[in-house]
Amino acid sequence: MGKISFYLAMLAGKTASALLKLLGRNASYLPGKVALTICKDFMGRLTLPKTVICVTGTNGKTTVSNLLTGMLRKCGYTVTNNSLGSNVQAGVCTALLDDATFGGTIRKDVAVLEIDERSSLLIYPYIHPTYLICNNIMRDSIKRNAHTDFITFLLNKAIPADTRLILNADDIICAHLAPQCQDRTYFGISADAPESDALPFLRDIVYCPKCGALLKAHYARYNHIGRLYCPDCSYQTPEPDFVVSRIDEEANTFTVTCGEKAYDFALINRNITNLYNFCGAITVLSLFGLSYEQLRDAFAGAKIVRSRFDEITVGDHKLTVILAKGQNPIACSSVIRYAAGCPGEGKNLLISLDDIGDNHNNSENVSWVFDTDYTPLADDSIAKVIFIGKRCHDYYLRALMAGVPEDRLYALETWQQGVDEIDLSVCKNVYLLYDPYRGAEERQIQNCLVSRMKGDAEK
């Protein structure tokens, strides 16, 4: 009966995928859901590639999985992946189903799979990672991911003991993930360490989980990312095996050091969170067996996936579009800090962070708005901060509480009002920070701004 249900699931899943694609619909979830409904252990019956790379963690999963997939393909490997679809159980199943023969064999060299942390207990019993990279463990949606202890509990329970872990050494929570796994490699950043050795007030770990003492820091970058230690026991961030040891802004490169060897790579984005993404991806593929020359050449052509980061230059205007995950205060804080720190005067920030995707038929929770750090918006290089959407007044209030001058702040409910508030005759740098659920609106805003920039350039 097991084989019959598997073949029925394969047929039904592939039929659902073909029909959805014929209708022009996104076939990234439903085909897998159909297959799993018919055959619960469908993924466990597939013959997977020899190497399976799984990507998990709170922030950076999509960026890392896309980097890994793109670099492997550039080096001549065939890859099955879900980087354009859902990262929960049904989405992962859909990606595998699409690349599988009717007999269940996936004829690819490597599988690169982005895995949602909460789905780990449903996926890892059937998909055994050769390598698993975790970039960070941080607070996320309060209604979904609850607390970092909850997420680490799920991952610790689900990750197979013989999986090789690649972990962010600068995240003390992430670095101690899955103690049952002995094969561990760490990556981190030593370059441009912040001057402060004081941990920020808002962070996801305060006390040592071993002895209860108050954790201290050699230095802290943001949240609990940095070099932390317990003054009363051995609990601390480990030394990284692969480390970003130098950032050369003038040459537009960064250096990754492993032991006594140092390798230079093109710096395709300067955001500190993306430097962790880059170093993590390079670490995984180094362990996989790619040479430095392969890594260097593949990385030189890599790009941050457009849905996460995009820059458009029109004449002397530049529009920077950055994903800022609503209900994720650490991710939003990081994006705000990055935009505020970019060079240029008179910047306009257009911020659309409505939680529209998570407020249907239930109570809303805006605590994440007040967890988010808005103080960088007070930077003198910013001329206007324009909040748009149903929650614009909440963001406006939070910015006032952070000390942002009121004469820079605007709260407007529609995106058209927000765009109209930007005076391109005086503003040359516009930053659009948008929520994943506002993708359609983001495209309208981008098209409108680019059209206006072209008109201004032609004058």
Side-chain angles (χ1 to χ4, degrees):
M1 186 64 186
K3 285 187 177 181
I4 294 174
S5 66
F6 172 76
Y7 289 123
L8 286 174
M10 180 68 75
L11 179 61
K14 284 188 173 291
T15 300
S17 181
L19 288 173
L20 286 169
K21 290 174 182 176
L22 189 64
L23 295 170
R25 301 279 297 278
N26 185 1
S28 66
Y29 178 85
L30 185 59
K33 180 68 173 176
V34 169
L36 290 168
T37 300
I38 298 171
C39 181
K40 183 179 179 182
D41 62 347
F42 179 83
M43 290 190 292
R45 293 177 177 272
L46 296 171
T47 302
L48 298 176
K50 181 181 177 180
T51 300
V52 177
I53 302 172
C54 291
V55 183
T56 197
T58 309
N59 299 314
K61 292 189 292 290
T62 300
T63 297
V64 171
S65 62
N66 274 277
L67 281 171
L68 292 171
T69 299
M71 292 173 71
L72 283 166
R73 285 176 174 163
K74 191 165 184 180
C75 291
Y77 292 90
T78 57
V79 183
T80 184
N81 73 98
N82 64 327
S83 57
L84 298 177
S86 170
N87 61 13
V88 297
Q89 184 192 25
V92 173
C93 184
T94 297
L96 296 175
L97 184 151
D98 280 348
D99 284 340
T101 65
F102 274 98
T105 299
I106 299 173
R107 302 189 186 280
K108 301 283 187 179
D109 299 321
V110 184
V112 176
L113 302 172
E114 176 185 335
I115 309 291
D116 176 78
E117 308 89 272
R118 284 187 63 189
S119 298
S120 58
L121 287 173
L122 301 173
I123 293 175
Y124 295 136
Y126 306 111
I127 295 176
H128 202 111
T130 314
Y131 305 97
L132 187 149
I133 176 172
C134 184
N135 213 11
N136 48 68
I137 301 291
M138 299 179 178
R139 69 184 67 189
D140 203 340
S141 166
I142 196 169
K143 290 188 287 184
R144 183 176 180 277
N145 282 9
H147 192 275
T148 55
D149 285 352
F150 170 60
I151 297 304
T152 53
F153 166 78
L154 294 178
L155 290 171
N156 289 347
K157 188 174 181 180
I159 297 171
D162 59 348
T163 292
R164 182 161 193 173
L165 297 182
I166 296 92
L167 305 171
N168 185 350
D170 294 348
D171 181 338
I172 197 168
I173 300 175
C174 173
H176 289 86
L177 192 66
Q180 69 271 20
C181 298
Q182 298 303 307
D183 200 347
R184 312 166 76 86
T185 302
Y186 299 101
F187 64 92
I189 300 174
S190 67
D192 298 334
E195 296 177 1
S196 175
D197 61 357
L199 281 162
F201 174 76
L202 182 66
R203 60 187 188 272
D204 289 314
I205 186 168
V206 177
Y207 298 103
C208 174
K210 288 183 67 176
C211 71
L214 185 68
L215 291 175
K216 294 187 177 182
H218 295 297
Y219 65 80
R221 287 199 170 89
Y222 64 94
N223 197 18
H224 59 272
I225 302 299
R227 305 297 293 164
L228 277 61
Y229 68 97
C230 174
D232 294 347
C233 74
S234 61
Y235 192 78
Q236 61 182 339
T237 49
E239 289 298 319
D241 302 291
F242 289 76
V243 58
V244 176
S245 55
R246 182 169 178 263
I247 299 170
D248 190 331
E249 297 277 359
E250 187 173 335
N252 208 36
T253 62
F254 68 99
T255 303
V256 175
T257 301
C258 179
E260 296 182 355
K261 296 180 179 179
Y263 306 108
D264 292 334
F265 296 92
L267 183 60
I268 60 177
N269 185 274
R270 289 173 169 77
N271 194 335
I272 191 72
T273 57
N274 276 325
L275 276 171
Y276 281 111
N277 294 334
F278 301 157
C279 190
I282 288 167
T283 301
V284 172
L285 296 183
S286 294
L287 298 176
F288 173 75
L290 295 188
S291 67
Y292 164 60
E293 290 74 20
Q294 287 176 304
L295 287 169
R296 179 198 60 203
D297 295 344
F299 196 82
K303 291 183 179 179
I304 304 297
V305 62
R306 188 215 156 273
S307 64
R308 265 54 186 171
F309 183 91
D310 195 19
E311 286 183 333
I312 303 164
T313 301
V314 180
D316 58 353
H317 292 90
K318 184 168 78 170
L319 170 62
T320 303
V321 184
I322 315 175
L323 184 77
K325 295 165 66 177
Q327 302 199 52
N328 185 317
I330 308 304
C332 286
S333 299
S334 175
V335 170
I336 288 171
R337 183 173 60 252
Y338 173 78
C342 285
E345 297 299 319
K347 293 180 289 194
N348 280 198
L349 272 60
L350 189 61
I351 301 178
S352 175
L353 294 175
D354 275 354
D355 55 355
I356 189 171
D358 198 37
N359 62 12
H360 298 298
N361 303 317
N362 60 22
S363 60
E364 295 179 76
N365 188 310
V366 296
S367 63
W368 68 274
V369 176
F370 297 90
D371 272 354
T372 302
D373 182 10
Y374 276 41
T375 54
L377 296 177
D379 190 276
D380 289 338
S381 69
I382 301 173
K384 290 183 179 181
V385 180
I386 305 164
F387 299 111
I388 58 175
K390 297 291 185 184
R391 284 285 174 203
C392 62
H393 296 288
D394 289 298
Y395 310 136
Y396 185 97
L397 173 62
R398 178 67 185 92
L400 285 176
M401 293 171 64
V404 183
E406 188 172 4
D407 60 1
R408 298 184 195 173
L409 298 174
Y410 300 81
L412 305 167
E413 291 205 4
T414 71
W415 70 263
Q416 188 64 63
Q417 288 175 305
V419 170
D420 290 344
E421 187 56 49
I422 298 172
D423 184 355
L424 293 177
S425 66
V426 295
C427 173
K428 303 303 180 185
N429 294 286
V430 180
Y431 290 79
L432 170 58
L433 282 51
Y434 78 100
D435 187 277
Y437 292 104
R438 313 300 291 188
E441 180 181 86
E442 176 269 324
R443 287 186 289 274
Q444 290 177 300
I445 294 172
Q446 177 177 306
N447 291 338
C448 184
L449 282 170
V450 169
S451 177
R452 286 182 54 195
M453 286 176 177
K454 287 179 179 178
D456 190 70
E458 292 170 357
K459 290 180 182 178

